Amino acid sequence: MPEELIPIYIMGKRYDVPPGLTIMKATEYAGYRLIRGAGCRGGFCGACATVYRTAGDYRLKVALACQTVAEPEMYIAQIPFFPAERPAYKLDELEPTFETLVKLYPELLRCLSCGTCTKACPQDLDVKDYMAEAMRGNIAAVADKSFDCIMCGLCAARCPAEEVQYNIAILCRRLYGKYLAPEAKHLSERVAEIKTGEFDEPMREIKSLSEEELRQRYNERDIEPA
Amino acid sequence: MSYTPEMRESIKKVEATRPARLDQPFPRLAPEEKERLLERFHPDYRAEGFRDIRVGPNKGEKAPNELVDVLEGRSHLTSDALDLTRIDYDTDVLIIGGGGAGASAALLARENGAGVILATKLRLGDANTMMAQGGIQAADKPNDSPVIHYLDIMGGGRFVNDPDLVEALVIDASLVIQWLGDLGVMFDKEPDGTMMTIHGGGTSRKRMHSARDYSGAGIMRVLRDEVRSYPEHITVLEFSSAIELLMDDKGQVAGAILQNLETGEHLVVRARCTIIATGGSGRLHYQGFATTNHYGATGDGLILGYRVGARLLHQDTMQYHPTGAAYPEQIVGQLVTAKVRGLGAQVVNAEGNQFVYHLETRDAEASAVIRECTERGEGVETPSGMLGVWLDSPMINIIHGPGTIEAKLPAMVRQFKRFDIDITKDPMLVYPTLHYQNGGLILRPDGSIPGIPNLYGAGEISGGVHGRNRLMGNSLLEITVFGRRAGRAAALRAKEVELGKLTLAHVDEWNKQLQEAGIDNPILSPILLPDYARKVR
Ligand SMILES: Cc1cc2nc3c(=O)[nH]c(=O)nc-3n(C[C@H](O)[C@H](O)[C@H](O)COP(=O)(O)OP(=O)(O)OC[C@H]3O[C@@H](n4cnc5c(N)ncnc54)[C@H](O)[C@@H]3O)c2cc1C
Ligand code: FES
């Protein structure tokens, strides 16, 4: 029934859709078959970055289309592609230092700490704060604070200093994971055992069991307490 | 959007039973009980949901109706549709699919000297891999071993798994965790470096490794960044779907036809070896279930392989995740990670009573929820008429201390907070959702597809690794283990392949078989994307 519908504007054109739909589903209700702007549909991939404005408000807002409910009088446009800089590097050849960050992303030092990125982040990350950590060369802190980044690009899209925050963040997470995180000794030991063939014989034994024997062993296996 | 007054009433009951439930462990299902539960309530046992396949290598076997529809589909092409002498890309290894399996394959193919084209439907990393939350299994603790892992997998899969594939999986597991760590994946660790590991449904040791509850994203973001580090050897083609494999006149697979999703343009890719890594098929919505899967999970690779003669295994079994969101409406079907149960949250009914142990295998857990909501009538109804049961998340902070939920489950907290639900204080309403394709193309341990020269596969596309039920955390493992194996094997094989003249004759042959089998009005497949656009007049 028409009176139950709400008006939204997709790239300036009006459509009437039922209330309560996400922006993504509202767009589909309007008749679009999405190709760009939809990936995971669950808030994990960052494909659906969207810019919008609501009636009577001059400010541009941003959101993930798959995670945000369409409101009446919303003016919506998707950012299907954002041409961000990702310099050429190979992790193997890098060192986990401030110098590495600045060499690859010299614009890092131009960050104004204005906080536009933090306001933009649909994951509610404090992007400005992790950028400040990057400027201090605290790679571990950047890695930790940017962990939940889905790389949608909205921070970079809004940044007046033209930083590519999310690419700096993935670089820091990788540097941390590879060079700074404490080593898991039990893992290296297990890898060594596997390479020397320690499990070859026990594997052969268990693979030689009949289904019935295997079933029995399964049902009787001891379970580590939770 | 927070809970309705009726739901609030039920939550009070959940809170009232919580102290007792914390103390009293609920018994696990005995093997016979579990069998009965599955037979009566698991969607795989609903005969109306299935029918016989009428053409191709698995003719006469059952599959879900929606899968049969696309398997019995007609090709988008005919053999004379394109000039195959005009080759757009010529490569050693073509990888179809840009999820975790495809990216791993690309890296190992490159490492083994191959030039690679990676073609994917959406963007690189828009994939089920990106969505995985819970974690990845590997037996790397002193009280664990690949052999114990093997036993868990065989039992979970009901002893019909391919033992050679399971062996490859468990033996490579620790190697893969180390490889991922070296690429910069940040696994959760204790300050001394020990991996933090927990149980998952059906595990007998705590071997679930995680990267908070962004485990899949943690892996996929890194693999994607690594793939982008080698532009001179790996060419990534986004929004380019494979719609048919190419053959040559010697009967070998020789690449694929891609379609640019935006312009419709067709591209001819000639490849010495081809790897199918297109993932699952949740977007076929078997039996009308909502799904956790990404937008492009339409089972395309199954069809591409099937049309050139690759056989499917266990194509009649799907995994329904016991805990899909049932409320709020906007996120129905989306995953509530199994880690919530792994951390101790129990599943309880409208009266606040527990009705199943919270760490049963997924098939049993899902069946118990369906029984609770149907036969027993103990589900909670939402305003849209959907039924669900409570997943008692606040227990986690009581068991492990305040702040645990926020620290270990940030994605879940965020997802519900967007709709004004605080899962640290209130439980979440859940119902089973279509999650995973247990079966798929038959592979060998090196990722090659038996009987089809130069064709490989890896990832959720495979059949046999998990038997009839995959355990949580073994899929992120599978995609990296077999992605790497397939990438390596394909690169080595590519060095000796001599391709003949390209042909699409098999497509005409296929369309003819459909006719002979009396299949009228077949749909065009692979379908590439589900059609959710409302049909306007
Ligand atoms: C929400 C969710 C949570 C999960 N949690 C866990 C977990 O905690 N632990 C675990 O082990 N597993 C988990 N899984 C399962 C696991 O994530 C997947 O099974 C696995 O990541 C699949 O990887 P893949 O590379 O085979 O497929 P995908 O990652 O789906 O990648 C396939 C790619 O191929 C592309 N593609 C499809 N068709 C075509 C075509 N015709 N042409 C070109 N490209 C194509 C797709 O768009 C996609 O990019 C989860 C799955 C989901 C959906
Ligand atoms: S579609 Fe992936 S975040 Fe919205």
Side-chain angles (χ1 to χ4, degrees), chain A residues 24 37-49 63-67 78 123 150 152, chain B residues 123 126 130-131 294-295 418:
Chain A
M24 182 172 286
C40 67
R41 303 180 70 102
F44 283 91
C45 76
C48 64
L64 297 177
C66 72
Q67 297 294 306
Q78 287 211 302
Q123 293 286 84
I150 58 173
C152 65
Chain B
R123 305 173 313 166
D126 290 350
M130 195 61 103
M131 310 181 75
H294 87 287
Y295 190 38
R418 283 182 174 127

Side-chain angles (χ1 to χ4, degrees), chain B residues 63 65 73 127 133 226 276 304 316 364 374 410 434 436 440 508:
Chain B
N65 291 321
Q133 301 174 26
E226 184 69 3
I276 302 180
L304 301 183
D316 57 340
T374 55
L434 175 57
Y436 187 79
D508 290 349

Side-chain angles (χ1 to χ4, degrees), chain A residues 20 28-29 33-34 36 39 45 86 89 122-123 144 147 149 174 182 186 190 207 221-222 224, chain B residues 123 139-140 152 164 167 183 189 199 204 206 212 221 225-226 229 239 262 295 414 418 529 534:
Chain A
E28 288 171 338
Y29 182 91
R33 188 175 189 189
L34 299 172
R36 293 212 177 235
C45 76
R86 191 265 186 208
Y89 60 77
Q123 293 286 84
D144 176 50
F147 198 90
C149 169
R174 294 192 66 191
H186 60 91
R190 181 54 42 88
K207 281 179 75 188
R221 78 206 199 284
D222 61 310
E224 181 178 358
Chain B
R123 305 173 313 166
D140 60 7
D152 284 350
D164 294 335
E167 177 180 15
L183 291 175
K189 292 177 175 180
H199 272 301
S204 68
K206 295 183 185 172
R212 302 189 193 171
R221 289 178 309 204
D225 198 61
E226 184 69 3
S229 304
F239 297 97
E262 293 184 295
Y295 190 38
R414 178 174 289 120
R418 283 182 174 127
L529 289 174
R534 186 174 60 106

Side-chain angles (χ1 to χ4, degrees), chain B residues 223-422:
Chain B
L223 292 176
R224 177 170 61 192
D225 198 61
E226 184 69 3
V227 164
R228 287 181 179 157
S229 304
Y230 300 96
E232 61 289 5
H233 299 117
I234 306 174
T235 302
V236 178
L237 304 174
E238 297 186 325
F239 297 97
S240 301
S241 294
I243 56 168
E244 212 65 70
L245 293 176
L246 272 167
M247 304 285 288
D248 72 0
D249 55 3
K250 306 178 192 168
Q252 316 180 86
V253 168
I257 304 294
L258 308 181
Q259 184 170 13
N260 178 324
L261 276 189
E262 293 184 295
T263 64
E265 180 192 13
H266 291 108
L267 295 170
V268 177
V269 181
R270 179 166 70 183
R272 294 188 177 78
C273 286
T274 302
I275 303 176
I276 302 180
T278 54
S281 56
R283 291 283 159 188
L284 296 180
H285 295 292
Y286 301 119
Q287 301 190 28
F289 269 84
T291 184
T292 60
N293 286 193
H294 87 287
Y295 190 38
T298 50
D300 301 353
L302 299 177
I303 294 149
L304 301 183
Y306 197 69
R307 282 193 189 147
V308 300
R311 270 188 68 85
L312 304 173
L313 182 66
H314 303 147
Q315 72 283 350
D316 57 340
T317 155
M318 299 296 152
Q319 182 165 86
Y320 295 82
H321 197 291
T323 60
Y327 185 85
E329 173 73 13
Q330 290 86 353
I331 56 168
V332 164
Q334 283 178 34
L335 182 67
V336 174
T337 171
K339 202 169 157 192
V340 179
R341 281 175 299 132
L343 288 166
Q346 297 167 348
V347 188
V348 296
N349 64 21
E351 296 302 313
N353 296 321
Q354 203 178 355
F355 53 89
V356 63
Y357 180 66
H358 61 293
L359 291 176
E360 294 293 346
T361 49
R362 287 187 170 163
D363 49 358
E365 193 90 22
S367 303
V369 175
I370 294 173
R371 178 180 63 188
E372 208 62 16
C373 292
T374 55
E375 189 181 76
R376 293 186 175 169
E378 298 279 7
V380 179
E381 193 173 337
T382 72
S384 69
M386 180 152 181
L387 290 168
V389 296
W390 296 112
L391 178 59
D392 196 8
S393 48
M395 294 179 69
I396 296 173
N397 278 357
I398 303 176
I399 299 172
H400 301 282
T404 309
I405 303 175
E406 295 85 336
K408 297 272 172 94
L409 299 162
M412 281 289 93
V413 172
R414 178 174 289 120
Q415 185 132 51
F416 280 80
K417 201 175 111 201
R418 283 182 174 127
F419 303 101
D420 285 334
I421 292 171
D422 181 353

Side-chain angles (χ1 to χ4, degrees), chain B residues 119-140:
Chain B
T120 195
K121 188 188 298 188
L122 302 165
R123 305 173 313 166
L124 179 58
D126 290 350
N128 283 3
T129 304
M130 195 61 103
M131 310 181 75
Q133 301 174 26
I136 175 167
Q137 289 200 37
D140 60 7

